[in-house]
Amino acid sequence: MDTATVVISRTDLSHLHLPPRSIFDGEFAADTAEISCLPLWRSAGTAVMNLPVTESEAQVLQRSYALERFRSRVVVPLMLVVGVSALTWIGWSLIARPGRTDVIGPSAMFAVVLLLLVNLLIGEYLIPKQYPRLVRGDRIRIAAVPNEVVREWEHLNPGVTLRERL
């Protein structure tokens, strides 16, 4: 299935008309779900979009939002704290006690690597590519939308640029 990346200005959201086709596979979607966009950075603000999705896809998107919030609020700060603590411990051990080997520093570094893997797992594999994200320029980006759905979006919204320019 050919896909495209859709980029919508946040100002165009209020008058955007979407066909009842899923952004995942292009199949008919009877309902719409109110989806909070994931910010690219924490200071990007918030935006809410009504997307046509099936019930199971809506649950996946809601779970993805919760996972991303967990990742950005727990995993990343914990990774930073443990990483700085591990580097401080290793540096102190090397300077103060060069002849002694400690288990705490390498264990903390192992914990950082484990947290990094959890972070990557959540970001790359558990959150679908089609999840709307806020990006620079006050825009919303949705990746991997089927081309036939994008064509219908363009037909229903003349004058609105939807495809990402590379």
Side-chain angles (χ1 to χ4, degrees):
M1 173 184 345
D2 289 334
T3 61
T5 298
V6 174
V7 178
I8 307 164
S9 172
R10 202 189 288 194
T11 57
D12 291 335
L13 279 182
S14 61
H15 58 273
L16 193 66
H17 303 286
L18 301 177
R21 297 193 52 188
S22 170
I23 61 171
F24 286 91
D25 55 10
E27 297 297 320
F28 177 75
D31 292 327
T32 60
E34 192 174 86
I35 307 298
S36 296
C37 300
L38 295 176
L40 183 63
W41 303 105
R42 286 179 83 66
S43 62
T46 60
V48 176
M49 226 181 144
N50 284 323
L51 288 174
V53 291
T54 63
E55 182 66 33
S56 62
E57 292 167 350
Q59 290 174 355
V60 167
L61 291 173
Q62 289 170 349
R63 189 173 44 247
S64 298
Y65 185 73
L67 277 170
E68 179 60 27
R69 288 179 56 122
F70 172 74
R71 184 181 76 82
S72 67
R73 293 185 178 179
V74 176
V75 175
V76 173
L78 189 60
M79 192 170 52
L80 291 172
V81 167
V82 172
V84 168
S85 300
L87 290 175
T88 303
W89 183 268
I90 290 171
W92 180 76
S93 294
L94 290 173
I95 293 170
R97 304 174 289 156
R100 185 173 166 202
T101 58
D102 287 327
V103 176
I104 295 175
S107 299
M109 290 306 284
F110 176 74
V112 169
V113 170
L114 204 62
L115 287 169
L116 180 62
L117 289 174
V118 167
N119 187 28
L120 289 174
L121 175 72
I122 290 172
E124 292 296 320
Y125 299 108
L126 296 180
I127 297 177
K129 293 177 187 170
Q130 293 87 353
Y131 202 98
R133 296 180 183 272
L134 286 170
V135 294
R136 281 184 280 162
D138 214 23
R139 298 175 304 160
I140 297 169
R141 181 178 185 269
I142 307 171
V145 178
N147 277 334
E148 59 269 8
V149 175
V150 176
R151 280 192 286 277
E152 285 187 38
W153 286 18
E154 289 172 334
H155 177 70
L156 290 172
N157 301 287
V160 177
T161 304
L162 291 173
R163 293 185 192 258
E164 184 173 47
R165 304 286 182 238
L166 298 176

